[in-house]
Amino acid sequence: MRKAPTILHLDMDAFYASAEQASKPSLRGKAVVVGGLGPRGVVATASYEARVFGVHSAMPMGQARRLAPNAAYLVPRFGFYKAISEQVMGLLRELSPLVEPLSLDEAFVDLEAGGAAWDDASARLVGARLRGDIRAVTGLTGSVGLAASKMLAKIASEQAKPDGLVVIEPGTERALLGPLSVRTLPGVGPATGDHLRRAGIHTVDEIVEAGEDELVRLLGKAHGHGLYAMALARDERAVVAEREAKSVSVEDTYDVDIHDRVRVGLEVQRLADRCVRRLRGAGLSGRTIVLKVRRYDFSTLTRSETLRGPTDDPAVVREAALRLLEGVDSTGGVRLLGVGVTGLADFTQEDLFAQAAQAAEAAEAAGAAGEGVDHAVEQAADDVPAEERDVLVERRWVAGHDVRHAQYGHGWVQGSGLGRVTVRFETPDSEPGRVRTFLVDDPALESADPLPLVEVTGAPPHRL
């Protein structure tokens, strides 16, 4: 008996950027880029209008600015995004006890486990109602994929973007997968994709044609068997109910051992940045940085360093990982590197300041005084993206963040510098607002909490 398409995958559309557009009427329909605005910042999310110019997530922010110089560039408001995410996850939990969040804007749901769907028609109805409920509760859109497995449901939601619903009906899976790129399958990242490409394997059909034995020869027993099964649309992974995350980590295995110490350091920094993107995507920060190194002889070493307070600053994680690398002997070559963060906590903006304070205290303890302490704080500030460096000095006026003026009401910071701050005064349900400029120490201006995107006027919509 064929399985019904009762695994649902939800992916919110350009989540951070869409939330900013919904919050700021003047940005609706315009290119918006959310991420770190400093010289080493990366794009967290780009609106669909910005993607037209080639801007995408994980791109260096400097490159994004060159591609879309007239876009609005904003610093993430993670607390705001997390509050919206909790509303969405609440809707999903009303459908089933088996909800597996992958990040703030993405999750799997086993509809059959909740009795919400049992065949094609009921699953399609649930998906359509869910999309309507998300829009009613949050004002945002999400794309929904429905299939008989997690892998296929995720592929379906990608095909549904933006703001759509795609159901992969039983019996159509192989025909759908065949022409797709090998990178579509879970576990096929850039390195594995390149390895398969060099072997002449570009599509899922070509994986099947190559055969299981050839995949095992190319990728190893575990990866080869698993990838071949997925190419045949076999994915038995169950939806796992939410568990409290204990760590966030990334790692890469290299086809050829790395012997160059400089290259090893660059790889560690790249992994640290990837780890932080995943950390921020989950709305978390962490205190303990972990480095994993598997050497040429398969011996595996792990080193860790615990900070004074939690962080999600990529510069802090990079520097800690590099310090840990200094204590590892990589003579003979490295075949695997990994960077992780443990001791997780909910994201707080103040975490960034704790690192500067820690640097100042360390300098003072070492006997530094006066200029020495100032230099330590300056060094820590240099490691913080420019937008948050302003916060270290003024503790407010971050681009995109909320403020309130005693006379003009609620608004958001468009920019600051040279002792002045520019604010656009508008709310989610207003017309695009006017822009005014103030001195940075104007006593009538203060930081504010974000306003809800949708005013609650009664009970939430009825759901299945």
Side-chain angles (χ1 to χ4, degrees), residues 107-185:
F108 287 110
V109 185
D110 187 332
L111 298 178
E112 189 174 14
W118 50 90
D119 59 13
D120 294 18
S122 59
R124 192 181 295 272
L125 180 60
V126 169
R129 289 185 177 178
L130 174 64
R131 290 177 56 233
D133 286 352
I134 289 173
R135 187 186 290 273
V137 171
T138 70
L140 304 180
T141 64
S143 295
V144 172
L146 288 154
S149 70
K150 292 169 72 172
M151 175 186 73
L152 291 167
K154 184 172 175 62
I155 291 172
S157 69
E158 285 296 321
Q159 294 183 341
K161 283 186 168 295
D163 190 21
L165 169 67
V166 168
V167 180
I168 298 178
E169 297 180 357
T172 67
E173 297 92 347
R174 289 284 303 279
L176 179 142
L177 282 177
L180 299 180
S181 165
V182 295
R183 290 290 305 276
T184 305
L185 300 179

Side-chain angles (χ1 to χ4, degrees), residues 57-347:
S57 60
M59 173 182 284
M61 191 61 76
Q63 183 181 355
R65 288 186 183 276
R66 290 191 294 273
L67 292 172
N70 296 321
Y73 289 86
L74 307 175
V75 180
R77 296 186 291 167
F78 287 107
F80 178 52
Y81 309 145
K82 186 174 182 182
I84 299 172
S85 175
E86 288 172 351
Q87 290 179 303
V88 173
M89 296 302 166
L91 294 175
L92 298 182
R93 292 187 188 97
E94 291 185 15
L95 299 175
S96 172
L98 291 184
V99 175
E100 182 179 345
L102 304 180
S103 62
L104 290 179
D105 60 343
E106 186 180 2
F108 287 110
V109 185
D110 187 332
L111 298 178
E112 189 174 14
W118 50 90
D119 59 13
D120 294 18
S122 59
R124 192 181 295 272
L125 180 60
V126 169
R129 289 185 177 178
L130 174 64
R131 290 177 56 233
D133 286 352
I134 289 173
R135 187 186 290 273
V137 171
T138 70
L140 304 180
T141 64
S143 295
V144 172
L146 288 154
S149 70
K150 292 169 72 172
M151 175 186 73
L152 291 167
K154 184 172 175 62
I155 291 172
S157 69
E158 285 296 321
Q159 294 183 341
K161 283 186 168 295
D163 190 21
L165 169 67
V166 168
V167 180
I168 298 178
E169 297 180 357
T172 67
E173 297 92 347
R174 289 284 303 279
L176 179 142
L177 282 177
L180 299 180
S181 165
V182 295
R183 290 290 305 276
T184 305
L185 300 179
V188 182
T192 301
D194 288 344
H195 199 51
L196 291 171
R197 179 180 52 79
R198 290 194 295 270
I201 300 173
H202 302 85
T203 67
V204 176
D205 265 345
E206 288 171 344
I207 288 179
V208 177
E209 291 170 7
E212 190 169 14
D213 291 342
E214 177 65 6
L215 284 181
V216 169
R217 187 186 70 79
L218 288 171
L219 304 175
K221 187 173 181 180
H223 199 181
H225 286 312
L227 191 58
Y228 184 72
M230 288 188 174
L232 294 175
R234 299 173 187 162
D235 178 16
E236 300 301 325
R237 294 175 300 161
V239 175
V240 180
E242 182 177 10
R243 295 187 298 258
E244 183 178 356
K246 295 183 179 180
S247 66
V248 173
S249 63
V250 297
E251 62 181 43
D252 275 345
T253 301
Y254 304 98
D255 295 333
V256 178
D257 291 352
I258 302 176
H259 295 269
D260 182 1
R261 185 75 175 181
V262 173
R263 166 88 188 283
V264 173
L266 291 173
E267 288 294 312
V268 166
Q269 293 182 72
R270 183 179 62 82
L271 289 166
D273 288 344
R274 276 177 53 198
C275 182
V276 168
R277 287 198 295 273
R278 184 171 295 182
L279 192 72
R280 287 184 167 186
L284 298 170
S285 57
R287 293 187 59 199
T288 301
I289 315 302
V290 180
L291 176 71
K292 177 180 178 181
V293 180
R294 181 167 296 151
R295 299 187 292 189
Y296 70 99
D297 58 357
F298 287 89
S299 61
T300 302
L301 305 175
T302 57
R303 300 287 185 269
S304 65
E305 174 181 322
T306 299
L307 307 173
R308 286 282 301 277
T311 186
D312 75 339
D313 181 5
V316 172
V317 176
R318 277 197 303 267
E319 294 299 323
L322 288 174
R323 284 195 299 271
L324 294 170
L325 180 62
E326 292 175 1
V328 174
D329 180 10
S330 61
T331 305
V334 170
R335 60 181 297 109
L336 177 147
L337 290 168
V339 174
V341 178
T342 66
L344 302 182
D346 289 346
F347 177 90

Side-chain angles (χ1 to χ4, degrees), residues 3 9 15 30 231 252 282 322 394:
K3 292 183 179 179
H9 181 261
F15 181 46
K30 298 182 179 179
D252 275 345
L322 288 174
E394 300 171 359

